Amino acid sequence: MLHLLAIKPNDIMKKTIAILSFLLMSLSVFSQKPEKLTSNQIYEKIQKLNFLGTALYIAAHPDDENTRLISYLSNHVKARTGYLSLTRGDGGQNLIGPEIRELLGVIRTQELLGARRVDGGEQFFTRANDFGFSKHPKETLKIWDKEKVLSDVVWAIRTFKPDVIINRFNHRTPGTTHGHHTSSAMLSIEAFDLVSDATKFTNQLEFTETWQPKRLFFNTSSWFYKNEDDFRKATVGKLTSVDVGVYYPLKGLSNNEVASMASSQHLCQGFGRLTTRGSQNEYIEFLKGDQPKDTSDIFAGINTTWNRLKDGGDIGAILYDIEKNFDFGNPAKHLKDLIRAYKKIQSLDDLHWRAVKEKQISKIIEACAGLYLEASAESSSGVPNANIELAIEVLNRNSEVPVFLESMSFKTAKTDTVVHDLLLENNVKQQFKQTINLENLSYTDPYWLQSKGSLGMYQVDNRQLIGKPETPRKVTVFFNLMIDTIPLTIQKNILHRYSKRDKGELYDPFEILPLATTKLYEKVMLFSDAKERIVSVGVSSGANNVKGKLSLEVPEEWKVSPAFINLEIKQKGDTQNYQFSVTPTSYDSKGTLKASILIDGKKYDKELIEIEYDHIPKQSVLQNSEAKVVRLNIKKAGNFIGYIKGAGDVVPESLKQIGYAVTMINPEEISTENLKKFDAVVLGIRAYNTVSTLKYKQKFLLEYVKNGGNMVVQYNTSRRVDVAAPFKLNLSRDRVTDENAAVEILEKNHPVMNFPNKISEQDFEGWVQERGLYFPDSWSSEYIPILSMNDPGETPKKGSLLVAKYGKGNYIYTGLSFFRELPAGVTGAYKLFANILSIGKESIQQQDQLKN
């Protein structure tokens, strides 16, 4: 039932709204708050409403986009502007946490959406999976499945319908940059000629129609050429130049300041930066289509007024007058005219522009009326077929025309339309309680992860989901209004609004999640002998009073006890831990552990992973609840390892699997005394890139080595970094991206290849994504190169693993991607890392054996 709560004006608390700057709003921990527009922002949206032109920017990854140009097109030109990122950046590295691969892609997706909230663009994707660095588009397009990705680019163009397309990268220079980069431009060039052909990708035409953009550009610069002269020669007579340093008085910011703030959303890639301002040119090279006569305007010759549409002139006559005479002090003054324009927009023959402009003007009307419309669930999640209670708030804060709440209806199958013909009196809050049922709703985890994909492609069967940045919300409320006798429906996603003492008001998206989820805490488990081992399984409930049978599936010939565990969890959100005994085979083997719960005949076998960072909304990801198990006769020497965290990885957890005692070292506390207890000290990936304190503490680390310790430095990027090695060492961008590239052992008799585990070429089988990255390309004679490897057609790279004797100890630098291989359970990587940590311990182990 719907209950009206009596709210008296005297009961309404007065709120003081602090006016935050645009900068603070964009970088705030409250980035997930619903949009609430100021008069300036309303006016800017009216300007965009009156521009009927569209631009699409195309590149390969999150953070590839030129936010200066996207912001310029969106905020200065007022064009509807989109960014098509072919991938979600799953193959990159993570500077803020341990998430890699698919989970990193989820983070980078949200960072892109955060960037678009700042620069005003829209965001799209293809199904391409960022499988890691690629040196040539031939490799890229083979792994991606070119035809499917091309189809997705065509789909994005047909549905977004851009007048102009701008490529970030040069399609004419394969092999000179990341293969994904060049491929994005090549696919854009090809798609430009296909989108208008009704015989191509015909299955799309059930949901959209053909389209032909007017022109295609390349966002070029001297960066793509050897020098300025080559740049000028290659682009003479082809360039459009725009000054993207324009100033926006309504924002109090220059365009390049806005762009810097948008780019700074890419925090997991280390893109946080200072804002810039001042005149700055961007260059756009014409490639295809109708070349503009005015080289300062990429939309030159394209009708971007309301006269573009049949009967659009009447709409323009109303809206241009509102823009010209906008009342910043009382935007509600324009409601009657906005409503008239809205009614005319609903009658447009052009279905595409009708949908775009109806959405835009609805937000403007809502803001001008000062409407506050919200439906907040009592928690941030519910399970399919459950009832949830909503707190609904409706408030008309600033309307000069009558506003009626005719009814509310909900996007759920078992909830009838709620009729409540109610006059929304000025600034009188109305609150309601409503219980709705989540009948047969599917989960809201990232749609592109719901089916098993391939190395290069995500599997998405629903055509209408392809390209969307995130899973559409399953539960929404429709506020059916009557404003000045014109019906207007405003749709709102149901969310969860709450507060924390140390953060204030917060919002979480409302998720549909399983009744129960399980979690295996260790994703890779190494059994170094045949003894049984206790495996813990966490079970979390998505509702109250969950009862079922928990079981653990083990590989063939492995044993588990008990066969199942009866469980009961009374409170939603509670997590309880259960234990099984697992016994491996007596010989080397590997397989997968799978945890699941049987509840009323239905199997629940997913793990819920919640990703929480202040700069993005909370993300709920469902993955198969499983772990890789390996029976491996692995040996080690030494026990105590100190680990200095860099950009973030799970190598410490992996080392614990071998049996090491790992202590995380606070860089501020590095000293001779604190280091001497460790058998080895390991620096995490990009430690010198991300931990500024190390440059002051390096003397203690080198002293530790000189006194007999082992220091292992994992890869750092070569740009503006000094790893302060004890001997000359030059980092480069050399890498081997083929994870199956042949590996030659240069020093077969070196201890690192023999003690305590024998390493052979077979130990490099089964590696994932790459061999390694940012190898040194030159070094002094003190270093011994251990391995040689190379991608096809390239010269051998010998800098992946270098060992140098320094004093009584050993300094080891490695660009091998242990941070990927160890979490993936690659047995050879575990053996090799154990040997690296054990260098110099041969005599110590022999002495221990004699004592025993």
Side-chain angles (χ1 to χ4, degrees):
M1 288 190 62
L2 183 69
H3 304 287
L4 176 62
L5 301 183
I7 303 293
K8 298 178 181 179
N10 291 339
D11 294 333
I12 302 173
M13 295 184 65
K14 294 181 179 180
K15 299 179 181 179
T16 302
I17 302 175
I19 301 175
L20 301 176
S21 71
F22 186 82
L23 171 62
L24 291 178
M25 288 171 63
S26 66
L27 299 180
S28 166
V29 297
F30 311 121
S31 59
Q32 54 265 48
K33 274 191 173 182
E35 189 176 37
K36 299 171 186 176
L37 302 178
T38 65
S39 290
N40 285 2
Q41 292 168 322
I42 293 172
Y43 178 70
E44 289 177 315
K45 287 192 178 294
I46 290 173
Q47 290 180 307
K48 289 182 72 71
L49 181 66
N50 283 335
F51 189 92
L52 279 73
T54 306
L56 181 63
Y57 200 88
I58 298 180
H61 309 108
D63 72 38
D64 280 348
E65 80 274 25
N66 185 343
T67 54
R68 294 183 300 275
L69 195 53
I70 290 176
S71 179
Y72 177 86
L73 292 170
S74 177
N75 295 297
H76 181 72
V77 178
K78 305 302 180 185
R80 185 177 181 227
T81 307
Y83 173 43
L84 174 60
S85 175
L86 268 57
T87 76
R88 297 176 184 268
D90 325 74
Q93 287 83 48
N94 185 358
L95 294 182
I96 61 174
E99 297 88 357
I100 57 174
R101 291 301 306 146
E102 290 81 4
L103 297 181
L104 177 59
V106 172
I107 294 173
R108 297 188 73 181
T109 293
Q110 291 301 317
E111 290 183 337
L112 269 178
L113 288 171
R116 299 294 79 79
R117 283 191 290 270
V118 175
D119 61 32
E122 299 178 48
Q123 186 61 52
F124 309 99
F125 295 95
T126 74
R127 289 170 290 176
N129 188 344
D130 178 6
F131 56 84
F133 192 87
S134 175
K135 295 181 178 178
H136 200 281
K138 285 184 179 179
E139 177 198 33
T140 299
L141 295 175
K142 180 180 178 181
I143 295 176
W144 271 356
D145 189 331
K146 176 191 172 184
E147 196 68 7
K148 288 182 179 178
V149 182
L150 178 61
S151 165
D152 292 355
V153 177
V154 169
W155 168 256
I157 296 171
R158 284 176 173 175
T159 53
F160 192 58
K161 295 180 169 43
D163 298 299
V164 297
I165 295 175
I166 304 172
N167 292 343
R168 180 53 170 151
F169 297 106
N170 195 344
H171 65 286
R172 297 159 296 201
T173 54
T176 61
T177 183
H178 198 320
H180 297 181
H181 293 169
T182 311
S183 295
S184 71
M186 293 170 64
L187 291 170
S188 175
I189 292 282
E190 191 169 349
F192 186 86
D193 295 328
L194 294 177
V195 290
S196 62
D197 189 343
T199 67
K200 304 297 183 183
F201 305 114
T202 55
N203 62 334
Q204 299 179 2
L205 301 180
E206 178 184 353
F207 307 102
T208 189
E209 58 191 1
T210 59
W211 177 254
Q212 183 56 59
K214 298 294 190 297
R215 51 193 67 135
L216 175 64
F217 298 94
F218 163 40
N219 181 197
T220 188
S221 74
S222 59
W223 185 85
F224 292 97
Y225 296 86
K226 293 180 180 178
N227 51 56
E228 287 283 350
D229 286 339
D230 285 354
F231 171 52
R232 284 193 292 269
K233 290 176 184 177
T235 57
V236 62
K238 299 178 181 179
L239 288 185
T240 293
S241 174
V242 294
D243 183 355
V244 295
V246 293
Y247 177 65
Y248 302 130
L250 293 175
K251 299 181 187 296
L253 296 166
S254 296
N255 180 74
N256 29 19
E257 290 179 282
V258 176
S260 297
M261 292 186 291
S263 183
S264 286
Q265 300 302 305
H266 298 294
L267 295 182
C268 74
Q269 300 303 293
F271 269 55
R273 60 187 60 182
L274 292 171
T275 58
T276 60
R277 66 220 101 247
S279 181
Q280 186 175 11
N281 283 332
E282 282 291 337
Y283 298 96
I284 306 170
E285 178 187 351
F286 173 77
L287 297 178
K288 278 192 172 190
D290 174 24
Q291 187 165 7
K293 294 180 181 179
D294 181 355
T295 59
S296 65
D297 181 7
I298 64 173
F299 285 96
I302 300 172
N303 188 350
T304 58
T305 72
W306 278 103
N307 288 322
R308 175 177 188 156
L309 306 178
K310 180 185 175 183
D311 300 325
D314 292 341
I315 300 169
I318 300 170
L319 295 177
Y320 292 136
D321 185 67
I322 294 175
E323 180 180 343
K324 181 180 179 181
N325 299 291
F326 185 72
D327 190 334
F328 287 87
N330 183 24
K333 169 184 173 180
H334 304 291
L335 270 173
K336 286 181 177 290
D337 288 335
L338 286 166
I339 287 292
R340 281 199 301 128
Y342 171 78
K343 188 174 182 180
K344 290 179 179 294
I345 288 172
Q346 287 185 308
S347 300
L348 287 173
D349 292 336
D350 189 310
L351 298 181
H352 169 73
W353 279 113
R354 182 205 296 180
V356 170
K357 294 304 174 182
E358 188 175 335
K359 182 178 179 181
Q360 288 179 346
I361 198 171
S362 293
K363 289 184 177 180
I364 293 170
I365 292 170
E366 179 186 354
C368 285
L371 291 173
Y372 186 89
L373 308 169
E374 180 182 274
S376 176
E378 57 189 344
S379 69
S380 62
S381 67
V383 302
N385 301 309
N387 290 328
I388 63 167
E389 187 171 281
L390 302 178
I392 300 171
E393 182 177 338
V394 181
L395 181 61
N396 172 14
R397 294 177 289 187
N398 187 31
S399 179
E400 292 195 351
V401 299
V403 178
F404 286 86
L405 177 62
E406 292 281 289
S407 65
M408 287 184 291
S409 53
F410 301 86
K411 194 178 177 182
T412 53
K414 270 193 175 180
T415 303
D416 296 330
T417 299
V418 178
V419 178
H420 196 93
D421 189 2
L422 177 68
L423 173 65
L424 299 181
E425 298 180 43
N426 187 49
N427 213 29
V428 178
K429 180 165 61 175
Q430 307 289 348
Q431 290 182 301
F432 311 92
K433 294 291 185 182
Q434 174 66 38
T435 300
I436 64 173
N437 182 265
L438 307 177
E439 184 183 34
N440 298 323
L441 293 181
S442 56
Y443 303 141
T444 53
D445 59 315
Y447 70 87
W448 63 95
L449 300 179
Q450 291 174 355
S451 299
K452 184 175 177 59
S454 64
L455 173 64
M457 296 295 296
Y458 285 118
Q459 180 68 35
V460 181
D461 297 321
N462 185 338
R463 160 56 57 190
Q464 292 178 286
L465 284 178
I466 293 173
K468 292 186 180 298
E470 54 188 346
T471 303
R473 296 295 96 187
K474 303 288 185 179
V475 191
T476 60
V477 57
F478 299 91
F479 293 92
N480 303 310
L481 306 169
M482 185 72 70
I483 303 179
D484 197 28
T485 73
I486 303 298
L488 171 67
T489 295
I490 297 177
Q491 181 179 354
K492 295 288 186 180
N493 292 328
I494 289 173
L495 42 75
H496 174 53
R497 180 166 68 101
Y498 62 106
S499 66
K500 287 186 176 180
R501 284 178 174 269
D502 59 339
K503 292 186 177 180
E505 186 177 61
L506 297 170
Y507 290 81
D508 283 340
F510 182 78
E511 307 284 14
I512 311 295
L513 299 172
L515 181 60
T517 55
T518 62
K519 179 182 179 67
L520 287 159
Y521 293 103
E522 297 173 297
K523 300 308 177 189
V524 176
M525 304 181 198
L526 265 70
F527 291 73
S528 58
D529 53 39
K531 296 178 181 177
E532 72 173 15
R533 179 169 163 182
I534 299 299
V535 173
S536 295
V537 181
V539 178
S540 299
S541 60
N544 293 331
N545 300 315
V546 171
K547 298 179 181 180
K549 291 185 176 182
L550 173 67
S551 60
L552 188 63
E553 180 183 334
V554 297
E556 187 176 358
E557 297 191 29
W558 290 53
K559 298 177 181 178
V560 60
S561 178
F564 63 86
I565 298 174
N566 289 313
L567 61 84
E568 179 178 1
I569 304 179
K570 294 185 177 182
Q571 290 188 321
K572 176 182 177 178
D574 189 16
T575 298
Q576 295 185 12
N577 294 319
Y578 302 89
Q579 293 184 329
F580 293 87
S581 294
V582 174
T583 305
T585 55
S586 59
Y587 51 87
D588 286 1
S589 62
K590 58 185 176 181
T592 304
L593 293 185
K594 298 179 180 180
S596 62
I597 309 169
L598 193 64
I599 303 174
D600 296 329
K602 183 175 181 180
K603 185 178 182 180
Y604 294 86
D605 57 0
K606 295 294 183 181
E607 175 187 352
L608 172 62
I609 301 169
E610 294 181 326
I611 302 174
E612 295 190 69
Y613 291 100
D614 282 346
H615 68 300
I616 63 172
K618 177 182 175 182
Q619 298 297 297
S620 299
V621 183
L622 296 174
Q623 291 189 338
N624 292 333
S625 183
E626 57 186 37
K628 186 170 184 178
V629 289
V630 179
R631 167 68 175 94
L632 178 66
N633 185 23
I634 189 171
K635 301 180 179 65
K636 67 180 182 67
N639 187 43
F640 296 105
I641 306 298
Y643 202 90
I644 302 171
K645 182 181 177 181
D649 56 60
V650 293
V651 171
E653 291 81 353
S654 300
L655 296 181
K656 291 176 184 178
Q657 288 291 330
I658 306 176
Y660 284 109
V662 182
T663 299
M664 302 304 293
I665 300 175
N666 181 347
E668 299 289 343
E669 298 175 357
I670 293 174
S671 67
T672 302
E673 185 64 26
N674 288 344
L675 294 178
K676 67 181 183 181
K677 61 186 175 184
F678 296 114
D679 294 305
V681 172
V682 182
L683 278 74
I685 61 172
R686 293 192 182 187
Y688 290 97
N689 296 121
T690 59
V691 184
S692 58
T693 306
L694 286 180
K695 62 185 175 183
Y696 306 113
K697 300 293 185 176
Q698 184 72 2
K699 59 185 178 182
F700 298 114
L701 291 167
L702 293 182
E703 183 181 0
Y704 161 78
V705 179
K706 187 179 288 186
N707 291 335
N710 286 342
M711 178 178 172
V712 183
V713 180
Q714 298 181 84
Y715 97 92
N716 288 263
T717 61
S718 57
R719 191 176 181 183
R720 296 191 297 270
V721 68
D722 179 10
V723 298
F727 310 109
K728 182 181 177 182
L729 184 69
N730 183 64
L731 302 186
S732 75
R733 297 182 65 86
D734 285 352
R735 62 204 301 159
V736 176
T737 62
D738 182 356
E739 64 269 31
N740 298 312
V743 176
E744 179 187 359
I745 300 175
L746 300 175
E747 297 289 334
K748 294 184 182 296
N749 296 323
H750 194 280
V752 79
M753 291 289 108
N754 294 278
F755 177 82
N757 305 287
K758 180 68 176 177
I759 304 296
S760 69
E761 284 81 0
Q762 285 70 39
D763 288 302
F764 293 93
E765 295 176 358
W767 284 49
V768 299
Q769 186 162 327
E770 62 199 356
R771 289 296 189 195
L773 62 172
Y774 293 101
F775 297 163
D777 62 356
S778 64
W779 49 85
S780 66
S781 60
E782 286 84 358
Y783 295 97
I784 299 174
I786 304 298
L787 305 170
S788 176
M789 59 191 73
N790 59 273
D791 282 321
E794 295 191 353
T795 58
K797 304 294 184 289
K798 299 181 180 181
S800 64
L801 178 58
L802 302 173
V803 180
K805 192 72 178 175
Y806 182 64
K808 298 178 182 178
N810 296 278
Y811 178 90
I812 302 100
Y813 189 94
T814 179
L816 293 170
S817 58
F818 288 108
F819 73 104
R820 296 195 191 281
E821 312 313 320
L822 299 184
V826 178
T827 57
Y830 272 95
K831 291 169 62 180
L832 179 55
F833 209 100
N835 282 15
I836 291 172
L837 297 175
S838 302
I839 291 178
K841 303 285 193 304
E842 301 94 326
S843 60
I844 296 175
Q845 188 176 77
Q846 291 170 357
Q847 292 173 8
D848 290 342
Q849 290 173 347
L850 290 172
K851 290 179 182 177
N852 295 331

